[in-house]
Amino acid sequence: MSSEDAGTAGAGYGDGTRAVRAGLPEPVKHEPTLPGPVFAAHYHLPGEPTGPYTYGRDENPTWSRLERAVGELEAPGEDGVETLTFASGMAAISAVLFSQLRAGDTVVLPADGYQVLPLVREQLTAYGIEVRTAPTAGDAQLGVLDGARLLWIETPSNPGLDVCDVRRLVEAAHAQGTLVAVDNTLATPLGQRPLELGADFSVASGTKMLTGHGDLLLGYVASRNAGLMTSVRRWRKIAGAIPGPMEAWLAHRSLATLHLRADRQTANALAVAEVLRGRPEVTGLRYPGLPDDPSHKVAAQQMRRFGCVVSFALPTRARAERFLDALRLVDDATSFGGVRSTAERRGRWGGDAVPEGFIRLSVGAEDPEDLVTDVLRALEESAH
């Protein structure tokens, strides 16, 4: 932990205390507790170009505070964790993949992951990298792991919400010298800590629940391995995929309510999932927090919160669209993790192997009784 930190976000504190205090500077009389964003393309730099801030594409004090904060949530109480922020989640994902892989290498991706991954696969293949895929469920990626340079895990998977055993996959990967990156977007550090589970990288889109208000794009990479992070930092410099200072400041501000949002949204998601479980028109219901969900046993061993996303299918595309139209408290929008509930028919984008009536519902922080009532009413109205 930096000497600039307030020093109240260590391993001995709870999630709420860490989220509220993470990354704050030591208090200075008359100064704000969280200094405002620093807008700077360059800094005063007489003499040799040394020190932490030399040019705006390389470092910014606002990023630094946010990066310390995220590191404290990803690995509480650890000094050796480095975090880098990016302009988006895809920028963070790309930085890990393209900084660690070379022509002739092999990477294992989830077959059921984020819908942009097929585009990533095309680009990796064009660069002479072999790409293998396998589903998340049942730790199926183990079957195609032999000789890989990097294993990419997405758990829970988006949008199907399957879960794999991170410890088991990490152990098998490390035994043969394979690096492991975990996309932790859906869980957030308050739901799951990939570095504690042995992963080399924890990667996430901060656009989603981490910041929670649907008003910024952000990504980050965290790791204990300084050598690996040197190459990730170099890639960020080359690509210029840096966050704006305002986005970084807004993200840091939003972390203070992460524990409140995560607790409320997780509880709400479970309430909605339990109601949907009893509906005859609903099939394929998935939520890792449900005791009878296929992923629950593994999820309960490595997750502390099960997230805010519920997925299910209605009988037809038309029924799903009528359901979405009938909702009053749930906006028809993509993305997930916001304080306002959203839902969408994922098939409209293509790229996800889901039925035409498949719904991804991101449960917000509204009153649970109101959300449940709205969902049930929309199901009834959409039947006609």
Side-chain angles (χ1 to χ4, degrees):
M1 185 177 292
S2 167
S3 60
E4 297 179 11
D5 289 318
T8 57
Y13 292 94
D15 285 344
T17 302
R18 276 193 296 271
V20 168
R21 306 292 304 180
L24 297 182
E26 290 287 353
V28 176
K29 189 174 183 178
H30 306 308
E31 293 294 320
T33 55
L34 177 60
V38 174
F39 298 95
H42 57 265
Y43 308 90
H44 289 295
L45 195 65
E48 294 299 315
T50 59
Y53 304 109
T54 58
Y55 184 58
R57 190 185 62 244
D58 297 331
E59 292 290 352
N60 180 289
T62 310
W63 308 349
S64 297
R65 285 187 286 268
L66 174 62
E67 289 166 350
R68 285 197 299 270
V70 172
E72 289 168 11
L73 298 181
E74 284 281 351
E78 292 193 32
D79 292 333
V81 172
E82 183 178 357
T83 303
L84 293 173
T85 50
F86 291 82
S88 68
M90 279 309 304
I93 290 171
S94 299
V96 172
L97 292 171
F98 292 106
S99 69
Q100 303 306 312
L101 297 170
R102 304 288 183 271
D105 285 344
T106 298
V107 62
V108 175
L109 301 179
D112 52 346
Y114 181 45
Q115 58 132 350
V116 180
L117 288 182
L119 297 178
V120 174
R121 178 178 184 172
E122 291 178 10
Q123 194 63 56
L124 290 168
T125 302
Y127 287 159
I129 297 163
E130 180 185 355
V131 180
R132 303 173 190 160
T133 62
T136 299
D139 301 338
Q141 289 174 297
L142 288 174
V144 294
L145 189 59
D146 187 45
R149 161 69 178 167
L150 176 67
L151 167 63
W152 190 274
I153 295 170
E154 184 177 298
T155 182
S157 62
N158 172 29
L161 303 182
D162 277 318
V163 171
C164 60
D165 186 334
V166 177
R167 292 185 184 90
R168 183 185 180 202
L169 268 68
V170 165
E171 182 178 358
H174 285 176
Q176 63 172 24
T178 301
L179 298 172
V180 180
V182 177
D183 186 329
N184 203 37
T185 301
L186 198 147
T188 82
L190 267 59
Q192 180 174 264
R193 296 192 187 119
L195 300 183
E196 289 186 357
L197 299 172
D200 299 288
F201 298 101
S202 180
V203 188
S205 168
T207 308
K208 313 298 194 299
M209 183 185 274
L210 188 81
T211 56
H213 294 272
D215 53 9
L216 61 90
L217 296 175
L218 193 84
Y220 71 84
V221 179
S223 177
R224 292 191 180 95
N225 189 313
L228 296 178
M229 290 301 280
T230 296
S231 59
V232 175
R233 182 183 293 275
R234 181 174 181 271
W235 178 262
R236 184 177 72 172
K237 180 182 180 73
I238 293 170
I242 57 173
M246 191 65 189
E247 286 79 6
W249 184 84
L250 285 170
H252 198 169
R253 174 215 60 176
S254 299
L255 287 184
T257 61
L258 174 58
H259 65 297
L260 300 174
R261 292 184 281 107
D263 284 345
R264 179 59 172 258
Q265 291 176 246
T266 298
N268 282 358
L270 181 60
V272 170
E274 287 175 338
V275 167
L276 289 172
R277 185 167 51 180
R279 298 292 303 195
E281 68 270 51
V282 170
T283 59
L285 174 66
R286 297 299 305 272
Y287 182 65
L290 287 171
D292 58 351
D293 186 271
S295 293
H296 180 75
K297 182 177 179 181
V298 174
Q301 294 170 355
Q302 62 192 27
M303 299 183 72
R304 299 174 355 264
R305 293 172 177 85
F306 297 108
C308 65
V309 178
V310 177
S311 67
F312 60 96
L314 293 175
T316 64
R317 170 178 176 169
R319 177 70 187 275
E321 290 174 343
R322 291 198 302 271
F323 168 72
L324 293 171
D325 288 342
L327 291 166
R328 296 172 185 167
L329 296 179
V330 183
D331 297 327
D332 192 341
T334 196
S335 197
F336 59 84
V339 291
R340 289 173 289 278
S341 294
T342 61
E344 69 171 338
R345 191 183 66 82
R346 284 300 290 175
R348 65 182 179 172
W349 295 100
D352 290 318
V354 295
E356 282 291 291
F358 181 95
I359 300 289
R360 185 181 69 184
L361 174 58
S362 171
V363 184
E366 299 90 350
D367 287 322
E369 297 84 1
D370 295 335
L371 279 176
V372 166
T373 299
D374 192 42
V375 168
L376 290 177
R377 181 194 49 74
L379 285 173
E380 292 295 337
E381 289 185 12
S382 66
H384 307 292

